[in-house]
Amino acid sequence: MRKSFFAVFLLLVTTFISCNKNNGNEIVRMTISDSTFINLIEYETKSILVGESISNKPLCSQIALINDKEKYLMMDNGYIYIFDWESGMLEDSITTESCGNLNNYSGFRYASEDSIYIYNYQTNRFFIISSNGEIIKQVKILENENPVENAHICALNITPIYHCDSMFLLSGYMPGGLSMAKGMKIPASTMLDIESGRNKPIAYYPDLYTEHNWGTIYMNTVGITTDNKRNILYSFAITPHVYKYNADFTKCDTFYMQTRYDKGTKPAMNSIDELENNVEHEIKYYTSHTTYAEILYDTYRNCYIRVAEHPMMWKSAKESFAKPISLITANDKGEVISETAIIKRGTTLITNNMHICRAGLAIAKESGDENIILFNCYKIGDI
């Protein structure tokens, strides 16, 4: 049994290495004439009524179908709160007290009444709980002997938890200067065996990350989604490519979801030490280049949506550095079919609270009222 597992592991590593040979920073000018697939001019506004005791800026949230009705779920104050998506009213809550204090990069994923996945970042423990808050399963995630093989797990919206057969896919961005790890493979995800707590790295940053200096924080961002064929897609900040793995991670394809406004991304001029010791240098570097962020799969219209972030003038820490964005849409074959105009986001749109719903794409925005979460709901065309 152990020999069989080792053989499979070698096959996976070989597959990943070949996938990572792609030069992710190559610029291929895309011809995208259509900007109408997602209508950013007309939208419906929805309100989630959180009240005075619940935050209106959740770190982790989800739109899920419960009894075929759309519900907005968010984690805060030791609970997962369940709101009706249509009315915005609070309907129920699930206590997460048994999972400990959930903060920083902790998160959840609602699969069903008896399968709610919780990751506690502080204790590095994984839980499956029921809708009444009872623990069905829990495990301490074991550290690998080689620290390079340990992914930095962030169970937030951009890198959600996914259930893959009997295993769980946990992902996150890796902080620090990755160029300091030349010749090494840096994992973006790990596959957790919930019975033993063992985990193995399962998808890696492109080699480009260790070949050049891309800073220590913002350029390391990775977005992840899955589609109706159980493919897992990765969107890395510095590359126009999207990396598409099949369900068992034995095959990886890449395709371009590049913004037509891409001006290219260059390695940082400042050293890693300078960037780590001066956050303003890091922000100026990040805001002066094209980057990519979240990627979503629209299960209703069978397409992918990727967020492109565009350069902006940033002068000081007193200013927001939420970069202007555009939204790129591709069909399930990876063919780009549309890109919106660039939106000057400022502090208005909050893309880390962005979701697919039946009506289209919902993006949270600043409301000016701490008692509500406001969403712009944009219509998406049919493929």
Side-chain angles (χ1 to χ4, degrees):
M1 184 68 180
R2 293 181 65 185
K3 288 182 179 178
S4 175
F5 172 81
F6 184 69
V8 172
F9 182 73
L10 282 179
L11 174 62
L12 293 175
V13 171
T14 304
T15 303
F16 299 151
I17 291 173
S18 63
C19 185
N20 276 281
K21 285 180 179 177
N22 202 319
N23 185 344
N25 204 38
E26 177 187 355
I27 295 180
V28 176
R29 296 299 174 193
M30 304 293 289
T31 303
I32 310 171
S33 58
D34 183 78
S35 299
T36 61
F37 197 74
I38 300 177
N39 187 345
L40 294 178
I41 306 300
E42 299 176 6
Y43 53 85
E44 179 185 0
T45 300
K46 284 193 176 293
S47 300
I48 300 297
L49 309 176
V50 296
E52 295 180 354
S53 60
I54 304 173
S55 172
N56 71 341
K57 292 183 179 178
L59 289 176
C60 190
S61 56
Q62 180 185 358
I63 292 180
L65 291 179
I66 301 178
N67 297 324
D68 204 39
K69 300 289 186 181
E70 286 186 308
K71 308 296 177 182
Y72 177 75
L73 293 81
M74 57 166 286
M75 188 176 74
D76 187 51
N77 290 333
Y79 290 90
I80 296 171
Y81 295 101
I82 303 176
F83 296 84
D84 181 71
W85 178 241
E86 287 303 313
S87 69
M89 300 298 294
L90 178 63
E91 290 188 336
D92 203 353
S93 62
I94 301 167
T95 177
T96 60
E97 183 180 2
S98 58
C99 303
N101 183 29
L102 303 176
N103 57 13
N104 295 329
Y105 301 110
S106 302
F108 78 96
R109 192 72 172 174
Y110 183 98
S112 69
E113 279 190 359
D114 296 320
S115 296
I116 301 157
Y117 314 135
I118 306 283
Y119 172 67
N120 186 321
Y121 177 81
Q122 188 172 349
T123 63
N124 202 30
R125 296 187 75 88
F126 184 84
F127 302 83
I128 301 176
I129 65 171
S130 65
S131 56
N132 61 13
E134 291 183 359
I135 294 177
I136 297 171
K137 200 90 174 176
Q138 67 168 307
V139 67
K140 171 74 174 178
I141 301 174
L142 303 177
E143 296 286 327
N144 292 310
E145 289 185 11
N146 184 351
V148 177
E149 295 182 351
N150 293 313
H152 181 246
I153 301 169
C154 310
L156 306 179
N157 289 5
I158 193 170
T159 50
I161 301 166
Y162 289 115
H163 187 198
C164 303
D165 297 324
S166 61
M167 309 282 276
F168 288 88
L169 183 72
L170 304 174
S171 310
Y173 83 99
M174 184 67 73
L178 303 190
S179 60
M180 304 292 286
K182 278 185 170 54
M184 299 181 184
K185 295 295 177 186
I186 309 297
S189 294
T190 193
M191 199 68 84
L192 172 66
D193 180 345
I194 197 170
E195 297 298 330
S196 67
R198 294 190 181 93
N199 70 96
K200 64 176 183 288
I202 202 75
Y204 297 85
Y205 276 83
D207 289 340
L208 198 64
Y209 272 93
T210 57
E211 292 170 353
H212 304 283
N213 174 15
W214 306 101
T216 66
I217 307 174
Y218 307 108
M219 298 299 202
N220 295 353
T221 301
V222 55
I224 298 174
T225 192
T226 60
D227 63 20
N228 62 357
K229 295 179 181 176
R230 301 176 64 221
N231 297 307
I232 300 97
L233 292 89
Y234 288 75
S235 168
F236 293 96
I238 66 171
T239 169
H241 292 89
V242 169
Y243 293 75
K244 182 178 180 179
Y245 291 90
N246 63 349
D248 61 3
F249 282 85
T250 57
K251 182 181 178 183
C252 176
D253 296 318
T254 62
F255 60 89
Y256 278 101
M257 282 189 76
Q258 182 186 32
T259 171
R260 57 181 155 187
Y261 313 106
D262 197 333
K263 299 183 183 302
T265 304
K266 296 179 181 179
M269 299 295 291
N270 297 95
S271 69
I272 293 296
D273 286 343
E274 288 172 331
L275 293 170
E276 285 182 333
N277 294 326
N278 190 324
V279 68
E280 290 198 8
H281 286 332
E282 184 89 44
I283 295 173
K284 283 182 179 179
Y285 171 55
Y286 163 67
T287 54
S288 64
H289 290 86
T290 300
T291 50
Y292 297 89
E294 290 87 352
I295 186 167
L296 301 177
Y297 172 68
D298 184 345
T299 186
Y300 301 103
R301 288 152 287 264
N302 192 27
C303 62
Y304 308 119
I305 298 170
R306 189 185 197 192
V307 176
E309 302 174 319
H310 301 280
M312 62 178 285
M313 292 294 296
W314 184 83
K315 297 178 181 178
S316 73
K318 296 180 180 179
E319 300 177 343
S320 163
F321 58 96
K323 293 162 68 175
I325 63 170
S326 62
L327 304 174
I328 310 164
T329 308
N331 61 23
D332 63 346
K333 297 178 182 177
E335 299 166 339
V336 174
I337 55 178
S338 180
E339 181 179 10
T340 68
I342 295 177
I343 316 164
K344 289 186 177 180
R345 180 171 41 159
T347 57
T348 304
L349 293 179
I350 306 169
T351 55
N352 63 10
N353 195 357
M354 176 174 66
H355 308 276
I356 295 294
C357 58
R358 280 181 173 140
L361 177 66
I363 307 179
K365 65 178 181 179
E366 292 287 349
S367 66
D369 184 345
E370 293 183 352
N371 296 325
I372 64 174
I373 302 174
L374 278 183
F375 285 92
N376 287 352
C377 297
Y378 304 101
K379 290 185 178 179
I380 302 175
D382 294 321
I383 296 289

